[in-house]
Amino acid sequence: MPGSTSVHSRRRRGAPAAAGAVLASFALVVALPGTANAAQEDAGPGARDSQRAAPTKPGEASLGAGVRMYEGDSTDGAPPPITNRAATVKGVDVSSHQGNVNWKALSDRGVRWAYVKATESTSYKNPYFTQQYNGSYNRGMIRGAYHFALPNKSSGKTQANYFAKNGGGWSKDGKTLPGVLDIEYNPYGSTCYGLSKSAMVKWIRDFTRTYKSRTGRDAVIYTNTNWWRQCTGNNGGFGKTNPLWIARYASSPGALPNGWGFHTFWQYTSSGPVVGDHNVFNGAYNRLKVLANGG
């Protein structure tokens, strides 16, 4: 798909069916209990529609907005196949679309971690950030923040600094996850934001290096394999330093981007219970705590 394609001319496509190699110690296809119908009935007001809708103005993009526009979400909240529930740690991600989140309802469902949108580009801060970030923490969840990148607006360094100053920091309290760089299909315009593959890699490196210098942590990279191949040339230079959060709305994470032997998080649906976006951590809860503590 060429980088200049208009948002309005794109057609949704099913998620790719290829399976990816996953590091043996993390090679788990995980699942959540429940059914698709139950997930739909329990979704909060407008949660499902707001997650699927295309952003209409800057600031409205959420984690996976571009992925849903390009590839769709055919899961309808259905959980992946169960193989090893002991290594399944449920999580969610939220943005202003969810407003004030019912964290008790999520906690009662066994959700143990959450990521909250903090910023987008250098002109947007989530107005619900405090309720969402502190609310999840107060329910005993491990939480973190994410930044929706717009590489065509300013440098990686500029956006990393903006993120770190506005909710994307990190503290060694055992309850704070490293910040996330959300880099995916552009929901507002050309697929690769008008950047060449080499320029995109440079932008991502600029962001991640700046974020680490500000916080001492390597940022998690949230992305989609198809986008990564198209817009970075399937660059393999980040897998040794930056944990991978893979976006794929299907029964498995599928093939991973070059450089990563395993994924750390997997966003598998945008139409799950209460808030829409549901995820799993690829490991046991004690490993999630290690990640929060800087391990």
Side-chain angles (χ1 to χ4, degrees), residues 53-62 65-66 69 97 187-188:
T56 58
K57 60 184 179 181
E60 292 190 348
S62 59
M69 290 174 67
H97 289 293
Y188 304 114

Side-chain angles (χ1 to χ4, degrees), residues 155-188:
S155 70
K157 178 178 180 179
T158 299
Q159 293 193 32
N161 281 322
Y162 183 76
F163 175 48
K165 288 191 300 183
N166 293 287
W170 177 79
S171 58
K172 191 178 175 63
D173 58 5
K175 299 293 288 291
T176 305
L177 292 163
V180 174
L181 168 63
D182 178 357
I183 187 77
E184 58 176 287
Y185 295 106
N186 181 3
Y188 304 114

Side-chain angles (χ1 to χ4, degrees), residues 27 95 282:
S95 67
N282 194 10

